[in-house]
Amino acid sequence: EVQLVESGGGLVQPGGSLRLSCAASGFFFSSYAMSWVRQAPGKGLEWVSDIDSGGGITYYLDSVKGRFTISRDNAKNTLYLQLNSLKTEDTAMYYCAKHRVQFTYYRRNYDPVSRGQGTQVTVSS
């Protein structure tokens, strides 16, 4: 059974930083691309970033480019998202999600059903 457990969220002032983690189990983590997605209050799910299975290919939502960095440690079955220069509009529940296809990368091809419980990021002064 696929299990994803997000952590690392919190309350931070504008301009601050957080590091999110996603612990994966129940599937061959190193053979799947992964995504971070988020959902702000009253809004739909928004894709934030992708990373391929080896960690060499990354993509970002335009509004987070240069501020967020996705990475992974396949030896630890863990996905990360470093959030810097946070803005109030980054406030959302953040989720990691597994991609649908093993060994192959397609942009934004995550399975929303695979998300964990999420970790809340609140940016406020």
Side-chain angles (χ1 to χ4, degrees), residues 54-94:
I57 299 173
T58 58
Y59 285 105
Y60 298 93
L61 181 69
D62 282 348
S63 63
V64 309
K65 276 182 189 175
R67 300 189 298 120
F68 291 7
T69 303
I70 190 171
S71 62
R72 65 192 296 162
D73 185 337
N74 285 343
K76 295 182 178 179
N77 284 0
T78 303
L79 178 73
Y80 303 100
L81 187 68
Q82 178 68 40
L83 290 67
N84 295 332
S85 303
L86 281 161
K87 303 177 180 181
T88 55
E89 53 263 43
D90 295 318
T91 295
M93 185 72 79
Y94 283 72

Side-chain angles (χ1 to χ4, degrees), residues 18-69:
L18 286 171
R19 189 194 195 201
L20 308 185
S21 297
C22 167
S25 61
F27 66 103
F28 197 23
F29 178 75
S30 62
S31 67
Y32 284 89
M34 298 289 293
S35 291
W36 284 99
V37 298
R38 66 187 181 186
Q39 188 165 23
K43 296 189 177 181
L45 202 60
E46 179 180 48
W47 171 83
V48 174
S49 182
D50 276 354
I51 188 167
D52 76 326
S53 59
I57 299 173
T58 58
Y59 285 105
Y60 298 93
L61 181 69
D62 282 348
S63 63
V64 309
K65 276 182 189 175
R67 300 189 298 120
F68 291 7
T69 303

Side-chain angles (χ1 to χ4, degrees), residues 99-112:
H99 276 220
R100 301 177 192 272
V101 181
Q102 194 175 14
F103 298 124
T104 304
Y105 173 66
Y106 298 105
R107 198 181 304 190
R108 307 194 189 192
N109 192 33
Y110 64 91
D111 178 4

